[in-house]
Every structure is written in structure tokens, then in C-alpha cells.
Amino acid sequence: MMAELSDIVDKLENIVKFDTNGNLNNVNNVNELDKENNLIGIIVTGSRNTFCSGLDLSVAKDHILTPENGKKMSLLMQDTLFRFGQLPLISVAAVEGHALGGGAELVTACDFRCISETSKIRFVQVKMSVIPGWGGGKRLIDIVGGVNALKIMGTSDPITAQNGLELGFVDVIAPHGECVNRAREFLNRYVYFSERDERKGGNGNDDNINENKRINSVKAVRGLKLLISRTKNSEEYKNFLLYEHELFGSLWGQKENVDAVLKTRK
Ligand SMILES: CC[C@@H](C(=O)O)C(=O)SCCNC(=O)CCNC(=O)[C@H](O)C(C)(C)COP(=O)(O)OP(=O)(O)OC[C@H]1O[C@@H](n2cnc3c(N)ncnc32)[C@H](O)[C@@H]1OP(=O)(O)O
């Protein structure tokens, strides 16, 4: 899952012609975005009753239960989710069912959260004698504040749709099975150009006007996301992530953590 996620982010970076330093490729890059490309947002979802249950524990039990390998995993996932957050695309987590451990961290990597009435998001890390290692600790603090983050991560209690909404963690509550549709409706509020506008073009001039409208509305939404994500592309932010990574590395692979991982169902 981790390598696949990293590959997906690579592809998205390629699609939006975005470099890995968190900068536009060059000053004029906004004008050079692929003209055929309408992409302004992305919905992240899971399957059946699970959004994401975090680290693949069957792989972890055989290969990742040492501090060294845990640190490698943490670096890969911090980097992947940081790059995901720097894409000029608005992201919505559509959470049906469980989001556990690293899965809860993935939820925090999205700009917005749409969660079904029966879903549960749980930071189980402290219960497993570790702290988040995918950058989710920092992101949760940014979303709900230090005291709420302390309660959520310290108790490992689930965030439900209702208390998530009260905490400002959840943006949309959806009926069971409707998360993706509601997330799509939510994202549609950021679309200022529709195919209907495009069809209205009767002659060459109208077509040009509509093409310009389309390109500029995509550029504006992407530009807004770039502006906002730029606030996280700072030394201070990255140092905090490094600190989270180091704390994680000092706990992952220790006896108590290994026992907890081995005790889980898979
Ligand atoms: C640093 C990473 C670290 C962190 O930051 O916290 C982690 O992410 S540690 C991992 C934390 N995740 C868990 O502890 C999840 C454990 N799983 C569960 O609690 C449950 O499986 C579930 C997710 C609540 C779903 O329960 P249920 O609906 O009852 O289905 P099953 O339990 O039968 O699961 C279906 C199927 O999927 C397998 N599974 C689920 N989670 C994982 C996982 N993380 N890694 C590997 N496999 C997983 C489960 O074993 C079942 O497999 P089959 O028996 O082959 O059908």
C-alpha cells in the first residue's frame, strides 16, 4: 500500500506538472499547466467497510518490526503524504467505515473530510506504544489544536461523525454508503466551468472564450491550493515532522510496540 501510494503521488505530480520541491516548476508554470487537464480535486476512499487500516500488518510482522525499518517506513510515508498535500489539488477523504492507525493519519493528509454516520477514525498508535509516524500527529494538531489532539491520540478513542464535526475535523457527514457522492458534491462547489458552458460555444470565438474560461478557472483553483499549501513548505514545518519521525523511531520496534503489533488480528 505504501509504495503504491507513493507511485500515485508521483503520477499526480506528473499530471499537474508540479515539482517535488513544493514549488511551481518555474515562475510561469501556472500558465504552462496542461491545457487539456481539468483536474482540480481528488477524492480518497477505501473499499467495503474500511477506509484504510494503516500499515499492512502482515508485511510489518515479517519485515518492519525493527527500529531501522520503522524509520524507513516513517520517512517514506511522511514524504509521500507531504508531497500529496503540496499538490495543487483539493483533496477530500471520503471515509466509510474504519480508518485506523496510519489510516487515520491518511485522513489528516486531505484538505477536507467527509465521513459517514457510522464511520470511526481511530489513532491507535499510543495504545500500540508508539506515536504517529506518518506526519499525522502534526497534521492533527493543526486541524483540531493541541488539547483536542492530545485527547484524541492519548485516549485512542474513535472520532465519530458527530464529535468530529464539533471539533472541526469533519466537514461533511454523509448517510452510510453516500460518502463518495457527497464528497463529489462538496468538490463541485470549486468547479467554475461546466461541460454545459463548453457546449454553448457556437463559433470559433465562443470556443476560445470558453477554453480560456476553463483554463483560467482551473488555474485559479490550483493557484489557491498552491498558496495555502505553501504555508507548510517551511523549514519550521519540516523540522516538526522530523521531530515526530525521531520520536516515532525511538518507540517503534521496542518490545512493547512489537508485542502490540503481534497481538493485532493480522
Ligand atoms: C506506523 C503505522 C501504524 C500507525 O501509525 O499506527 C499502523 O498503521 S499500525 C496498523 C493499525 N491498524 C490496525 O491495527 C488494524 C487492525 N485491523 C482491524 O482492527 C480490523 O481488521 C478492521 C480494520 C477494523 C476491520 O475489521 P473487520 O471488518 O472485522 O474485518 P477483518 O478484521 O476480518 O479484516 C478484513 C481483512 O483485512 C485484513 N486486515 C485488516 N487490517 C489489516 C492491516 N492493517 N494489515 C493487514 N491486513 C489487514 C484482516 O486481517 C482480514 O483479512 P482476511 O482474514 O485475509 O480476510
Side-chain angles (χ1 to χ4, degrees), residues 49 53-57 73 100-102 105 125 134 265-266:
N49 75 340
S53 61
L55 177 63
D56 185 334
L57 291 170
M73 167 191 67
L100 288 171
E105 299 198 54
Q125 291 86 348
W134 297 4
R265 294 155 85 163
K266 194 110 207 188

Side-chain angles (χ1 to χ4, degrees), residues 136-151:
K138 167 67 177 147
R139 290 188 297 269
L140 185 68
I141 295 165
D142 288 346
I143 299 167
V144 299
V147 172
N148 288 321
L150 186 57
K151 278 187 204 156

Side-chain angles (χ1 to χ4, degrees), residues 41-45 90-94 179-185 187:
I42 183 162
I43 296 171
V44 181
T45 194
I90 300 169
S91 54
V92 184
C179 257
V180 172
N181 287 337
R182 293 295 168 90
R184 197 173 282 129
E185 280 169 24
L187 264 180

Side-chain angles (χ1 to χ4, degrees), residues 66-136:
T66 62
E68 297 69 34
N69 289 345
K71 280 183 196 164
K72 283 184 196 155
M73 167 191 67
S74 160
L75 272 190
L76 171 70
M77 290 311 292
Q78 279 203 353
D79 177 64
T80 300
L81 296 180
F82 180 80
R83 289 191 296 125
F84 177 74
Q86 292 289 310
L87 290 167
L89 302 174
I90 300 169
S91 54
V92 184
V95 185
E96 292 283 359
H98 301 279
L100 288 171
E105 299 198 54
L106 178 59
V107 173
T108 65
C110 292
D111 297 314
F112 298 108
R113 280 150 286 279
C114 174
I115 164 170
S116 83
E117 285 156 348
T118 50
S119 295
K120 289 190 171 65
I121 301 168
R122 283 186 75 191
F123 286 80
V124 292
Q125 291 86 348
V126 171
K127 233 179 117 202
M128 296 173 81
S129 299
V130 72
I131 65 156
W134 297 4

Side-chain angles (χ1 to χ4, degrees), residues 19-31:
D19 72 22
T20 51
N21 298 320
N23 295 309
L24 291 168
N25 284 334
N26 61 53
V27 184
N28 298 316
N29 188 272
V30 166
N31 297 318

